[in-house]
Amino acid sequence: MMMRYDTFIFDLDGTLLNTLDDLAAAVNHALRTHGMPEHTVDDVRRFVGNGVRLLMERAVPGGAGNPLFAAAFADFRHYYMEHALDTTRPYDGVVQVLEELQRRGCHVAVVSNKFMTATQELVSHFFPTVSVAIGEHEAEGIRKKPAPDTVFEALKMLNASSASGVLHPVYVGDSDVDIETAQNAGLSCVSVLWGFRDRRFLEAHGATTFISAPGELLLMC
């Protein structure tokens, strides 16, 4: 029997939005600015998932120990904030599914390891009906995914607007980090097959429930 949920917590990059080309462009701009070798888009695909700082630690030769790391990371952030909408688009069907979930009375939130400002700006631009969007947190003691902290924060915000005060949530993502996040939060996880990781990788990291198109989520609401 298929599980039914009234609350859907979504990852952002690779789940709702294809951000890969803009992330790769920002990474390579920063590397090029500081005379470092650039990476292919497939390289960047492997680097993403754990927040932008770790993305840059993986991209910069020598990682955080490189004396130019801080400057390269700052240049990445600045460039990305100016170019985050150059090629980024929602995956086919995502906008319609989010709107239909909400029309049916389901709660929807986004929890990402992307820095907070970029998360909120992208969600506001592409998904204006989604009011809860949480990125990498600057508040002390709030850990990023795979810790469950930002998921719990989103659920608390959604619960405040729930007439019943009782939520039945599921986490939806495209990576091993999302699988671990769901486990740490005590939630079921739905792994999408259109994102940055393939089915074999996801299965190797414990994924058990898959969807190949956004519309399949409507069968769970």
Side-chain angles (χ1 to χ4, degrees):
M1 179 182 298
M2 182 168 292
M3 294 293 295
R4 298 278 181 167
Y5 306 98
D6 63 8
T7 303
F8 292 79
I9 310 294
F10 289 93
D11 172 55
L12 185 61
D13 297 48
T15 300
L16 299 179
L17 295 177
N18 187 349
T19 56
L20 189 58
D21 286 342
D22 286 336
L23 286 169
V27 167
N28 285 329
H29 167 81
L31 297 175
R32 188 165 55 248
T33 297
H34 295 279
M36 301 175 187
E38 299 180 32
H39 290 285
T40 67
V41 173
D42 279 341
D43 288 338
V44 175
R45 182 193 303 273
R46 292 191 296 272
F47 296 161
V48 298
N50 297 89
V52 291
R53 181 179 176 86
L54 190 52
L55 163 62
M56 287 302 292
E57 287 182 8
R58 291 166 172 163
V60 170
N66 189 311
L68 296 176
F69 176 80
F73 184 42
D75 285 339
F76 163 85
R77 288 176 64 108
H78 178 76
Y79 183 92
Y80 186 71
M81 287 305 300
E82 291 190 343
H83 295 273
L85 297 175
D86 285 2
T87 64
T88 289
R89 296 291 183 271
Y91 290 101
D92 289 346
V94 161
V95 171
Q96 295 84 351
V97 166
L98 294 186
E99 291 175 351
E100 179 61 17
L101 287 172
Q102 292 177 300
R103 190 192 70 79
R104 296 184 183 187
C106 291
H107 303 279
V108 173
V110 173
V111 172
S112 175
N113 271 346
K114 188 187 292 291
F115 48 100
M116 183 75 81
T117 302
T119 297
Q120 293 182 337
E121 289 188 3
L122 286 169
V123 171
S124 176
H125 179 81
F126 288 109
F127 316 115
T129 63
V130 177
S131 60
V132 176
I134 300 173
E136 187 173 351
H137 223 295
E138 297 177 359
E140 184 176 354
I142 303 295
R143 300 165 297 169
K144 68 179 183 179
K145 301 184 301 182
D149 301 29
T150 48
V151 173
F152 290 157
E153 184 178 359
L155 290 172
K156 183 177 179 180
M157 295 171 70
L158 292 173
N159 191 63
S161 65
S162 171
S164 68
V166 177
L167 301 179
H168 302 284
V170 64
Y171 193 93
V172 183
D174 75 305
S175 74
D176 53 321
V177 175
D178 297 317
I179 297 165
E180 188 176 353
T181 299
Q183 291 173 342
N184 290 338
L187 303 183
S188 297
C189 184
V190 173
S191 296
V192 308
L193 295 176
W194 57 80
F196 297 164
R197 303 288 187 264
D198 61 24
R199 183 176 186 129
R200 180 179 299 179
F201 178 93
L202 294 169
E203 286 180 334
H205 288 83
T208 58
T209 302
F210 301 92
I211 58 172
S212 57
E216 294 176 50
L217 290 171
L218 298 178
L219 301 176
M220 303 179 188
C221 177

